[in-house]
Amino acid sequence: MHDWFRGVNGTFDKAVSALEKLVDNGVDNEIVTCLTKLNCFEKPLDEIYKLARSLNVDYWRLNRFRANGRGKDSNDFLALSKEDLQRSYSYLADIMHDGVSTPEPIFRSAFGGYYSIEGDPSGNTAFRIQPNGEVSPSVFLKESGGNIKEKSVEEIMNSEIFRKIRNREPKGKCMVCPSYYHCKGGDAGASYLQYGHFNGPDPLCWLRPTDRRTKPKINFSDKWNVHEKYLCTVYVPIK
């Protein structure tokens, strides 16, 4: 499936070989999976998890598919439903260690864990510098707050789109959801791609305000994974 998706035969073997060399030489590493309609079931997820463990990588990280860029052309057969995301996250919650820290607000709203940043880190502790110098508040968006070659980081961080992503407002079920204090509407980039604004609720949030859930806790430790302050993602510690 990996070779078919990449469009080049042999890419899976090359990826595994590269990981083996990184692990053998003590270089920081991880397997990254784009979670789509094609692999959101227990069998393919379990196979990737077993591969990660057999290679002894540091982390297995999973990003939800987002219909931006060329992904718009594949939205019909790759996009996840709420049920798909719930099924996938339930599997991941079962294999994770207790007390895992995650920057994915919907995951921790449903299954608990620790968090370093309220809501989505995008535009708060991270941004994306595009090849032409334009700076976006989310790694999944092309909208810019200014060009790094022309404006300072302070000016860009105070631009309109950066202020909007930091000052989200509860909409719909978020207004009565007990998780909003830390979730802030879920994935800001996903909301923007779906609705044209950052205010949520996350288009793939399956939770109802009355659902029982495990309360997450703030991570007060000075040790944190880079992804905790980077983007909405789920990472599974392997080592």
Side-chain angles (χ1 to χ4, degrees), residues 64 85 89 102-109 187 202 232-234:
R64 291 158 41 180
L85 191 69
Y89 281 4
T102 176
E104 219 293 6
I106 302 303
F107 182 93
R108 66 173 181 255
S109 293
D187 187 317
D202 189 306
C232 282
T233 190
V234 178

Side-chain angles (χ1 to χ4, degrees), residues 22 45 64 76 80 105 112 123 130 167-168 172 191 198 218 220:
L22 293 172
L45 291 174
R64 291 158 41 180
D76 290 343
L80 298 161
Q130 301 180 48
N167 299 306
R168 304 172 71 185
S191 291
F198 297 112
I218 298 177
F220 289 110

Side-chain angles (χ1 to χ4, degrees), residues 176-192:
V176 292
C177 181
S179 292
Y180 190 78
Y181 73 95
H182 73 85
C183 177
K184 302 301 181 184
D187 187 317
S191 291
Y192 192 89

